[in-house]
Amino acid sequence: MKSAVIVFPGSNCDRDAHDAIERVTGEKPAMVWHQESELPEGTEFVMIPGGFSYGDYLRCGAMASRSAILPAVVAHAATGAPVLGVCNGFQILTESGLLPGALMRNAGLTFVCEKAPLKIDNGNTRFTSRYGSTSELIIPIAHHDGNYFADAETLDRIEGEGQVVFRYGNNPNGSQRDIAGVMNEQGNVLGMMPHPERAVDEKHGGTDGLALFESLLGSA
Amino acid sequence: MTQYAEGITAEIVAEHGINDEEYAIILDRLGRAPNMVELGIFSVMWSEHCSYKSSRAHLGKFPTSGEKVIQGPGENAGVIDIGDGQAAIFKMESHNHPSYIEPYQGAATGVGGILRDVFTMGARPVALLNALRFGAPDHEKTQHLVGGVVAGIGGYGNCVGVPTVGGETNFHEGYNGNILVNAMAVGLAETDNIFYARGAEPGQPIVYVGSKTGRDGIHGATMASAEFDDESEEKRPTVQVGDPFVEKKLIEACLELMATDAIAAIQDMGAAGLTSSSVEMADKGGIGIKLIMDDVPQREENMTTYEMMLSESQERMLVIMKPGREDVAKAIFEKWELDVAVIGETTDTGRMVLEHKGEIVCDIPVAPLADDAPKYERPYFAPEVRAQINAKDVAQPSHMGEVLLKLMSSPNMASKAWIWRQYDRHVMADTAASSEDPSDAAIVRVHGTNKALAITTDCTPRYCYADPFEGGKQAVAEAWRNLTATGADPIAITDCLNFGNPEREEIMGQFVGCVEGMAQACAALNFPVVSGNVSLYNETNGVAIPPTPAVGGVGLIPDMDKRAGFGCMTEGHILMVVGKTTGAMGASTYLRVIEGREEGGAPLVHLDLEKSNGNFVRGQIRAGRISACHDLSDGGLACAAADMALASGTGIKLAHDADSDVPMHGFLFGEDQARYLLAAKKDDAIAIIQDAKAENIDIQVVGLAGGTAVSVNGAHHLELDRLRAAWEGWLPELMEPAAEAAE
């Protein structure tokens, strides 16, 4: 599977994303600089990694959502190809309108890093199909602005459409309805605060993130 | 010769922290009176912070070389060989004074500064640690300072994307007026691509990179070289402001530039900014330097040379390029949207010449700035060493479980999860053990390999206060022990020596005692000092901090499949203590918390036993016989057992021999050194004990894993659930009392 990882100044999980994708797909992803305006020819899967793009000044993900590469990502998503945004990547996807809702400051007002228990809310997606009967995961989180918010109508709608993919077992940030990850209506764009790329190795963070990348491999 | 140049008076000289004797040396070296710019430059270069004038005479006592040392003290950071063409580069540094005045920015810029020391040498930073000391928990400033410092460390480290993997946090009223914020960074590099401040030659362009220069932090180095008084908080304008986003770009840009062959020498602009970075590179290269101040990127209008040379604006680097390669640097830094400018060149004059608006505003020889910095043999007296206290001389409590509960929920022993939850410990995906994990040291895998660095920070200030020499030894020995308890080979240390005013003989005596004790331990354990920092004048209105020589130890785990933590004890495991228990209670956690006494001598550190016991434990870990291993330190066996039980979710039944010379509370809470608690399956335990006997190592079976409580001789029960609630509850209660009450 040909993959691409978008790199902004301030991205800091780009190498981790690269290594996780390479580990699962056996192919090195292209690292695409924010000033590019096109994705490499033949790209199937796009990942927007975590970090602090443009320092997260103004608002998390706001400047990245207006960067040169974003129109190419939006166009890629429109073809139905898979796009995954993790942490800052999730914030960028909501800021760019590819995903519903917004991510606000954590309810406790402090940065939270922990190995978070998650529940798979929809195991029948191109991001979760390989989890099989597993419904509970432990995946690390690390963020200051992961408090998922949308109005009640939107929340009802995305829940009804199966767009809520992951929920926290022990809500660490005040997210509405414990939401940790959401998909778009078409089911090809996923944003999540937990870091699956930090959970692909038994010597670091466990292996509960592996199946997410494996699901993509089967579906792309 | 005129004594003072135009516009300068004796008062102005004194305000620059230069005494009469030092001023006379300046007059002699220049052959004339210095102007304001030159005075400012001498002032910062000869400050305690930059020149180590009170401490240098003793720092030479440290062993600094060894088979695995590539670079010892004197460069930006120390460098050790970790095999396979790879090097670990690390240093610890204080940011005490700024953090007290403005905790968020003080701590944040402390992290930024120590990261630059490491990536300046060509290393990608892979781990951050810290050693924090705050005042009494109930002091009016403590909550505010803890909150600010922790947020600052997290705010910076999380954004640059380097995991904060470990550290220690203590509370003691001795830090009420002077908190300590010591930050340590560790990086990885290839041994054939390490960069130094030395290496510049005449005729090379000097390139400025990073943030613009502003008026912030002017005289920060001088502030760090004086004690505090009631007006110190008015010094807030001298605290710098950090921008981790720029730092992140700077790391990536510098590493990208370092992959080319364009750099002759490189230095970050830390304390005393442009002055110390340019002087150090000129001095180490034995050359001169000429800067055109008009070309320095400036954040504010009408800045003077004096301000630019003394500014401590953050996230700036000075690079001396190989001639003709400026464009390589420009292309890389412009890609990363960083300011970059050629601001001068190296010369063969041996002088530092600054030109501003067409005029020469400074023209002084480089050598005296670095080499002729004053060096004082400050008078000192060795503090009287307090007598040892043994458990036999201390009243026995009635319920050991209640004592254990009180110890484990006391400020220095209680869980620090409230702190480390705010640090990203996992970014870079190589953290095998951090503060959250049951491990005596943080473990960070060397990317792409199956080997790992073990890293720890340690110091027991109450021992150093009771007995500087033994306390100094103990700080080094405990760091060595922590690394050993994970299965690592300890390699080298960095240090951060925090003391009061060295002009007081008693304080200088503490300093000398600690340094000599550390030096002896480093030599005995083959654990040399490769970098470090000295922070003096940690004192307010004449009250000094407890002597705090923080040690940052680094070791190597050659095979990640052969290591130990203390979270894998299961029911039926045999518990053993390696090392001799006598019931040493002097300066112990027990005395302080239970009896409210800070009395008695520090426990003695027998370095030969440290070495033999540690080597034995490491060997047994690598032989795969040990299921859980924990060093014994604060609170002795009982607290180590409590840690192990909490982490493993299994109780421990301790057994005290009533016929023993050591009373039960000495057995449980004594702080004898060179000891480890091991848990092993029965068959393994038998083999371990046989080996210990054969090697003449003290070993004692102390209990059995099982149940849901920690108990002694079938009594003194403390249920783990109750212990966990108290242990986890103390710090949140301090920091968020309202939230706790509302729940």
Side-chain angles (χ1 to χ4, degrees):
Chain A
M1 183 174 68
K2 252 190 115 177
S3 308
V5 174
I6 312 295
V7 184
F8 299 97
S11 294
N12 64 26
C13 302
D14 43 330
R15 188 185 79 176
D16 305 351
H18 172 281
D19 290 1
I21 291 170
E22 186 184 4
R23 176 182 284 252
V24 176
T25 68
E27 279 179 72
K28 287 181 188 298
M31 305 304 279
V32 180
W33 187 239
H34 68 121
Q35 283 167 339
E36 302 289 329
S37 53
E38 285 174 33
L39 295 167
E41 182 85 29
T43 299
E44 293 162 87
F45 166 53
V46 173
M47 182 160 170
I48 308 181
F52 291 69
S53 54
Y54 304 95
D56 273 350
Y57 296 134
L58 184 61
R59 203 171 56 237
C60 299
M63 283 191 270
S65 72
R66 276 110 183 127
S67 65
I69 190 65
L70 246 285
V73 175
V74 173
H76 183 74
T79 68
V83 174
L84 170 64
V86 169
C87 201
N88 195 223
F90 186 13
Q91 294 161 344
I92 293 166
L93 290 174
T94 58
E95 283 286 341
S96 64
L98 282 173
L99 291 175
L103 293 144
M104 307 195 306
R105 180 120 302 193
N106 293 347
L109 303 182
T110 57
F111 191 96
V112 177
C113 174
E114 64 186 26
K115 289 171 184 160
L118 295 184
K119 290 181 211 144
I120 299 177
D121 213 57
N122 184 348
N124 185 26
T125 76
R126 58 202 293 183
F127 300 94
T128 52
S129 58
R130 290 287 175 89
Y131 280 104
S133 59
T134 306
S135 62
E136 295 189 0
L137 311 174
I138 303 255
I139 295 190
I141 57 166
H143 58 252
H144 209 158
D145 298 83
N147 180 354
Y148 186 76
F149 179 86
D151 58 49
E153 194 186 324
T154 306
L155 291 170
D156 290 343
R157 193 185 71 239
I158 62 175
E159 283 186 337
E161 298 292 323
Q163 287 174 247
V164 174
V165 181
F166 298 108
R167 288 186 212 258
Y168 298 109
N170 185 10
N171 194 337
N173 53 27
S175 286
Q176 300 270 313
R177 304 188 190 176
D178 301 329
I179 291 173
V182 295
M183 266 184 338
N184 62 350
E185 234 179 286
Q186 295 73 26
N188 66 312
V189 178
L190 171 68
M192 59 193 292
M193 290 312 293
H195 287 269
E197 81 284 3
R198 296 185 184 184
V200 294
D201 180 350
E202 62 186 18
K203 286 188 178 129
H204 166 87
T207 53
D208 284 0
L210 267 180
L212 190 147
F213 292 97
E214 287 165 355
S215 303
L216 278 167
L217 193 59
S219 78
Chain B
M1 175 164 50
T2 326
Q3 179 80 0
Y4 299 109
E6 199 187 327
I8 294 181
T9 62
E11 288 73 38
I12 290 176
V13 172
E15 279 167 17
H16 280 76
I18 290 177
N19 65 28
D20 292 348
E21 191 189 339
E22 292 165 359
Y23 191 69
I25 301 173
I26 297 174
L27 291 180
D28 177 64
R29 297 298 186 271
L30 296 187
R32 62 179 167 79
N35 64 29
M36 196 63 184
V37 172
E38 295 162 344
L39 185 68
I41 289 172
F42 272 101
S43 157
V44 292
M45 288 306 296
W46 287 8
S47 69
E48 187 70 58
H49 191 79
C50 292
S51 75
Y52 298 94
K53 57 190 171 189
S54 299
S55 58
R56 259 190 306 160
H58 300 283
L59 297 177
K61 293 170 183 168
F62 286 138
T64 57
S65 58
E67 189 192 340
K68 298 211 167 120
V69 177
I70 294 175
Q71 174 68 53
E75 276 285 346
N76 284 299
V79 185
I80 57 171
D81 191 339
I82 57 165
D84 310 310
Q86 293 168 317
I89 300 185
F90 59 96
K91 191 181 180 189
M92 180 156 49
E93 201 161 70
S94 61
H95 231 219
N96 305 336
H97 295 77
S99 299
Y100 183 79
I101 293 172
E102 212 297 272
Y104 185 97
Q105 290 297 341
T109 55
V111 173
I114 198 64
L115 283 170
R116 283 193 295 285
D117 277 332
V118 162
F119 73 76
T120 298
M121 299 195 71
R124 176 170 286 283
V126 298
L128 286 164
L129 292 90
N130 51 69
L132 311 178
R133 321 273 164 193
F134 296 101
D138 58 1
H139 185 264
E140 57 179 6
K141 284 206 164 137
T142 298
Q143 187 193 359
H144 158 73
L145 289 170
V146 173
V149 165
V150 170
I153 289 172
Y156 206 98
N158 298 342
C159 182
V160 295
V162 178
T164 301
V165 296
E168 54 172 354
T169 305
N170 284 178
F171 298 86
H172 189 277
E173 60 185 18
Y175 304 101
N176 279 355
N178 296 81
I179 62 169
L180 302 184
V181 175
N182 296 173
M184 175 176 175
V186 185
L188 290 170
E190 303 295 317
T191 50
D192 59 2
N193 202 34
I194 293 168
F195 292 81
Y196 297 98
R198 59 178 184 257
E201 291 169 10
Q204 296 176 324
I206 299 172
V207 176
Y208 172 115
V209 206
S211 294
K212 290 180 169 62
T213 295
R215 290 195 169 94
D216 46 342
I218 291 175
H219 275 311
T222 316
M223 175 178 82
S225 307
E227 54 190 282
F228 278 169
D229 53 32
D230 295 332
E231 270 83 56
S232 290
E233 291 185 37
E234 289 170 14
K235 291 186 177 165
R236 193 163 289 146
T238 59
V239 177
Q240 316 85 328
V241 175
D243 184 344
F245 174 55
V246 173
E247 180 101 337
K248 170 65 176 168
K249 295 195 293 180
L250 208 49
I251 293 175
E252 299 304 331
C254 285
L255 292 177
E256 206 169 311
L257 180 62
M258 286 161 166
T260 71
D261 181 32
I263 298 173
I266 180 165
Q267 176 86 25
D268 73 298
M269 296 192 221
L274 197 47
T275 297
S276 72
S277 56
S278 55
V279 169
E280 277 178 41
M281 282 195 289
D283 179 58
K284 292 201 168 103
I287 54 172
I289 204 159
K290 180 169 184 184
L291 302 180
I292 309 297
M293 302 310 291
D294 310 74
D295 296 336
V296 172
Q298 294 159 49
R299 199 169 61 214
E300 291 160 62
E301 286 179 9
N302 301 318
M303 287 189 70
T304 64
T305 297
Y306 179 92
E307 289 168 334
M308 283 186 260
M309 292 306 286
L310 270 56
S311 163
E312 291 192 2
S313 292
Q314 298 290 293
E315 293 94 20
R316 301 178 299 160
M317 308 282 282
L318 203 59
V319 191
I320 300 184
M321 305 289 298
K322 293 183 179 166
R325 312 300 285 277
E326 301 92 311
D327 288 349
V328 177
K330 274 199 170 157
I332 291 172
F333 289 118
E334 279 167 5
K335 170 188 159 190
W336 286 98
E337 297 170 20
L338 291 161
D339 271 294
V340 52
V342 176
I343 61 164
E345 61 171 6
T346 54
T347 65
D348 59 5
T349 62
R351 298 183 77 81
M352 175 179 220
V353 177
L354 307 178
E355 190 183 307
H356 194 203
K357 296 181 177 164
E359 279 180 47
I360 303 291
V361 292
C362 166
D363 183 356
I364 52 179
V366 168
L369 287 170
D371 303 343
D372 293 353
K375 178 176 170 181
Y376 294 121
E377 295 274 358
R378 300 224 186 256
Y380 64 91
F381 63 80
E384 200 174 321
V385 172
R386 303 194 304 219
Q388 295 286 315
I389 295 179
N390 189 278
K392 288 173 195 150
D393 310 316
V394 176
Q396 177 132 323
S398 57
H399 196 291
M400 300 300 171
E402 295 304 312
V403 168
L404 179 58
L405 183 75
K406 203 167 167 190
L407 289 177
M408 290 294 288
S409 57
S410 67
N412 292 338
M413 303 295 290
S415 166
K416 301 299 180 293
W418 187 90
I419 293 175
W420 50 251
R421 263 183 105 227
Q422 298 186 47
Y423 303 150
D424 188 339
R425 307 177 301 281
H426 308 133
V427 65
M428 300 187 85
D430 282 313
T431 306
S434 74
S435 314
E436 75 196 283
D437 298 299
S439 177
D440 281 329
I443 298 177
V444 178
R445 177 173 50 194
V446 176
H447 195 64
T449 73
N450 196 39
K451 60 186 186 182
L453 298 177
I455 317 164
T456 182
T457 58
D458 270 296
C459 181
T460 312
R462 61 178 195 279
Y463 294 166
C464 296
Y465 187 75
D467 183 343
F469 186 77
E470 287 299 323
K473 277 163 70 180
Q474 197 274 344
V476 173
E478 188 174 347
W480 189 88
R481 208 183 301 147
N482 283 344
L483 302 180
T484 296
T486 68
D489 291 312
I491 298 180
I493 67 166
T494 180
D495 61 48
C496 195
L497 308 175
N498 308 277
F499 291 82
N501 180 350
E503 295 162 47
R504 288 170 50 201
E505 295 185 17
E506 172 202 352
I507 301 294
M508 200 60 206
Q510 291 175 344
F511 179 82
V512 174
C514 285
V515 166
E516 290 178 349
M518 291 169 72
Q520 190 179 88
C522 288
L525 300 171
N526 188 21
F527 201 29
V529 177
V530 295
S531 60
N533 163 249
V534 179
S535 173
L536 302 174
Y537 298 96
N538 291 291
E539 137 156 22
T540 297
N541 293 331
V543 179
I545 58 160
T548 312
V551 170
V554 177
L556 182 71
I557 296 176
D559 176 354
M560 285 186 71
D561 299 317
K562 292 178 181 168
R563 62 192 167 100
F566 55 83
C568 295
M569 176 185 69
T570 54
E571 182 138 2
H573 278 166
I574 310 288
L575 288 153
M576 295 155 283
V577 166
V578 168
K580 195 166 171 57
T581 302
T582 68
M585 282 286 201
S588 65
T589 299
Y590 179 92
L591 269 196
R592 181 177 167 200
V593 174
I594 304 302
E595 298 214 339
R597 291 199 281 153
E598 296 187 39
E599 295 170 11
L604 303 175
V605 180
H606 301 288
L607 293 165
D608 48 343
L609 292 178
E610 283 288 352
K611 198 168 178 175
S612 55
N613 293 352
N615 290 346
F616 174 78
V617 168
R618 190 183 312 106
Q620 295 296 326
I621 291 171
R622 291 190 181 169
R625 288 187 182 139
I626 295 178
S627 300
C629 177
H630 196 359
D631 84 307
L632 298 196
S633 56
D634 295 340
L637 168 62
C639 288
D643 282 342
M644 206 178 260
L646 287 171
S648 305
T650 303
I652 290 182
K653 296 159 185 161
L654 292 167
H656 171 249
D657 177 0
D659 296 332
S660 146
D661 280 352
V662 182
M664 187 186 277
H665 60 315
F667 166 77
L668 293 173
F669 307 112
E671 296 185 1
D672 294 280
Q673 299 294 297
R675 296 186 303 158
Y676 301 80
L677 175 63
L678 313 181
K681 285 183 235 158
K682 194 176 165 195
D683 291 352
D684 288 328
I686 292 168
I688 291 168
I689 292 166
Q690 275 172 353
D691 280 5
K693 298 228 157 111
E695 292 177 40
N696 228 352
I697 299 290
D698 267 308
I699 195 162
Q700 186 188 3
V701 173
V702 296
L704 188 68
T708 58
V710 177
S711 63
V712 193
N713 293 354
H716 305 283
H717 284 80
L718 173 59
E719 287 295 326
L720 289 186
D721 288 346
R722 191 169 157 235
L723 172 60
R724 191 184 305 279
W727 176 69
E728 287 180 349
W730 181 81
L731 189 53
E733 173 66 28
L734 176 73
M735 298 307 296
E736 295 162 8
E740 287 291 297
E743 273 174 18

